[in-house]
Amino acid sequence: MYETEYKSKLMAPADAVELVPSRGTLSMGMAVSEPPALLTALESRVKAGKIKELRVYYSHSVAAAAFTILKYEYMDVIKPHPFFPTIVERRLFELGQQDNRRVVFYMPGNFSAMPRTLREIGIDAFIMMVAPMDKGGFFSCGTNSDYTIPTARIAKKLIVEVNPRMPRAFGDSSVHVSEVAAIVENESPLFSLPHRPLTPLDKLISKHIVEMVPDRACLQVGIGGVPNAVCAALHDHKDLGIHTELMMPSLVALIQSGAVTNRHKNLNRYKNVYTLAAGDEPFYEFLNDNSSMEARAVDYVNDPSVIGQNDLVVSISAFLEVGLDGEVNSEAIMGKQYSAPGGQLDFVRGAQLSKGGKSILAAYSTASDGAISRIVPKVEGPTTDPRTDTQYVVTEYGVACLTGKSTAQRAEALIEIAHPKFREELRFGARQLGYL
């Protein structure tokens, strides 16, 4: 039924990217959803001098963008506006500083607000990778709903790159052929999430966290060694649920262990809900045509009022530094933007709106091979999580619960889970600040 319309919109990548204006706004799918053939064709337009000034709005770039339009030599005409910078943007920023140029325009904000922000900005063209069209005329972007699907639906021109390797997901992660301006076909390997072996510290911190996770808990798990260790240690739990920003291999392994049933969730019962996914080939095969897996937009998944409707939500995320009053920085190092808030504050707040919920922020007690304490008298900032929202902080030395504690009690609790060699220095800092 829809094949005729599909064929009428099928074209070469070079022709498809002619729909991108030479001046205006472009957005693209993030991470796995980045379309390599379209980005390569767009780079050719840049090289030919056909792009005058293109403001590009996106999150978490990977190789497809890094090796095409996000090259330093194109920064006169390509204006990156990342909501979540990676090593790609950090490198561009450093090169720009050397030349006394501003080349990266970071967009601060919580992940849940990104679709609304892009709608208000107005997007001229959106490019993304999708699975092949189904019988109903829909293209699924199975790894990504996040801002990808909402923005694809409101962009003036939607251009899709069909890749048979992209998994087809359930939930709300599709666009219809009638909404598409141009289609290109290109089979390419999907972005693979790097695997890092668990360390003894990961396992030690995970033991503290697992003791705080009851049966029937509804989990949000961030990325990193500690969350992976937590997932590995939860295989004997019963009737867990999943409502998470990121779906990743360690969560899929937990699902496959039988510990996850989702039967006690109040929303999306029996479904593993996520807004973006990244893993390896077996992981993508697990997602494909799996009705238990539902990708939904980030303004739904990360909405604190939605998160809080499930009971026993346990959110586990990482931090870079925490002040003795409970203020948290999870995005900047030495005052320079390293990553972004992402959905951390969304889930910190959402978990605490949940009946019996817990917000857990975890990290090693030190950084730089033990030279720097992650627990500090006062964070350098910016503030990712206000002190009023922080609940549990975990290091290898234990758990600090800040709920219902005075500033003095918070300082004492956090000093107790700091590395011993920094504790006296932290007490001195607390006294200087008037906490003790």
Side-chain angles (χ1 to χ4, degrees):
M1 178 177 178
Y2 296 103
E3 280 75 10
T4 300
E5 186 172 5
Y6 180 100
K7 290 177 181 177
S8 70
K9 295 177 178 181
L10 183 62
M11 59 187 74
D15 295 325
V17 297
E18 289 294 325
L19 296 175
V20 177
S22 62
R23 291 184 186 274
T25 56
L26 171 73
S27 186
M28 61 183 174
M30 69 176 285
V32 182
S33 184
E34 282 185 2
L38 288 170
L39 286 166
T40 299
L42 186 57
E43 181 188 21
S44 295
R45 280 194 70 194
V46 174
K47 286 180 176 178
K50 295 181 179 180
I51 299 295
K52 304 305 179 185
E53 184 176 285
L54 196 59
R55 301 192 309 279
V56 187
Y57 295 89
Y58 61 96
S59 184
H60 211 290
S61 59
V62 292
F67 294 128
T68 53
I69 64 170
L70 296 183
K71 293 178 181 175
Y72 187 66
E73 57 263 37
Y74 303 147
M75 293 299 100
D76 283 340
V77 295
I78 298 292
K79 306 297 180 183
H81 286 66
F83 286 74
F84 195 109
T86 67
I87 190 172
V88 178
E89 289 77 28
R90 292 195 292 273
R91 181 58 179 158
L92 290 173
F93 177 80
E94 290 170 1
L95 292 171
Q97 277 198 315
Q98 293 170 17
D99 292 339
N100 198 28
R101 297 174 64 199
R102 168 66 62 182
V103 298
V104 176
F105 305 87
Y106 168 61
M107 300 286 293
N110 294 318
F111 198 10
S112 60
M114 193 171 170
R116 181 179 70 249
T117 301
L118 293 179
R119 186 167 60 248
E120 290 173 354
I121 289 169
I123 300 301
D124 293 319
F126 193 92
I127 57 175
M128 67 176 187
M129 188 192 296
V130 295
M133 186 178 72
D134 66 14
K135 294 176 183 178
F138 287 95
F139 298 96
S140 171
C141 183
T143 57
N144 295 73
S145 187
D146 47 68
Y147 70 90
T148 300
I149 296 299
T151 311
R153 290 171 178 164
I154 59 91
K156 293 176 183 175
K157 299 288 185 182
L158 172 59
I159 309 167
V160 299
E161 181 171 322
V162 177
N163 185 350
R165 301 193 190 190
M166 174 63 84
R168 179 176 304 284
F170 289 75
D172 185 18
S173 64
S174 299
V175 292
H176 196 260
V177 65
S178 60
E179 301 173 286
V180 174
I183 301 166
V184 304
E185 296 177 339
N186 177 53
E187 181 170 355
S188 61
L190 301 183
F191 167 75
S192 183
L193 194 67
H195 174 71
R196 185 174 71 85
L198 299 181
T199 69
L201 280 186
D202 292 332
K203 296 177 182 179
L204 181 56
I205 295 171
S206 75
K207 287 182 180 179
H208 297 308
I209 295 173
V210 168
E211 292 174 358
M212 302 166 66
V213 181
D215 289 338
R216 301 187 179 184
C218 183
L219 300 176
Q220 136 67 22
V221 181
I223 193 169
V226 170
N228 288 342
V230 170
C231 289
L234 287 173
H235 285 201
D236 292 329
H237 272 56
K238 307 297 182 185
D239 289 325
L240 296 174
I242 305 294
H243 183 106
T244 191
E245 178 179 306
L246 172 66
M247 182 61 65
M248 56 185 180
S250 60
L251 269 176
V252 163
L254 181 60
I255 294 165
Q256 292 173 320
S257 75
V260 176
T261 65
N262 291 295
R263 64 164 56 103
H264 294 287
K265 290 169 65 178
N266 297 324
L267 292 179
N268 311 116
R269 190 166 293 177
Y270 299 109
K271 305 298 183 180
N272 300 291
V273 173
Y274 64 96
T275 198
L276 68 146
D280 52 19
E281 192 170 340
F283 170 83
Y284 297 127
E285 181 56 37
F286 180 83
L287 292 188
N288 188 47
D289 282 328
N290 184 336
S291 62
S292 75
M293 309 299 288
E294 290 197 347
R296 294 182 176 273
V298 71
D299 51 7
Y300 173 83
V301 175
N302 284 35
D303 183 340
S305 67
V306 171
I307 296 164
Q309 290 180 54
N310 283 313
D311 297 337
L312 299 175
V313 171
V314 178
S315 172
I316 305 162
S317 298
F319 66 88
L320 292 176
E321 60 174 0
V322 57
L324 292 178
D325 61 354
E327 190 174 27
V328 177
N329 164 27
S330 296
E331 55 186 291
I333 297 176
M334 304 294 286
K336 292 185 177 180
Q337 200 70 39
Y338 181 80
S339 58
Q344 184 170 114
L345 184 57
D346 294 328
F347 275 92
V348 163
R349 289 176 169 165
Q352 293 177 78
L353 291 173
S354 163
K355 182 180 179 180
K358 296 171 184 169
S359 163
I360 301 170
L361 300 175
Y364 298 172
S365 64
T366 62
S368 299
D369 296 322
I372 299 171
S373 176
R374 291 191 184 274
I375 297 175
V376 296
K378 193 169 183 64
V379 298
E380 290 189 20
T383 301
T384 306
D385 309 314
R387 59 186 179 177
T388 51
D389 288 289
T390 309
Q391 188 178 21
Y392 291 98
V393 180
V394 183
T395 72
E396 67 270 28
Y397 292 101
V399 180
C401 178
L402 306 188
T403 302
K405 287 185 167 61
S406 67
T407 305
Q409 291 171 321
R410 286 172 171 235
E412 290 283 12
L414 287 166
I415 289 169
E416 284 300 309
I417 65 166
H419 193 286
K421 71 179 180 181
F422 291 106
R423 291 178 187 173
E424 191 52 47
E425 180 183 327
L426 288 169
R427 286 193 181 91
F428 176 79
R431 288 191 293 269
Q432 292 290 104
L433 289 166
Y435 296 165
L436 297 178

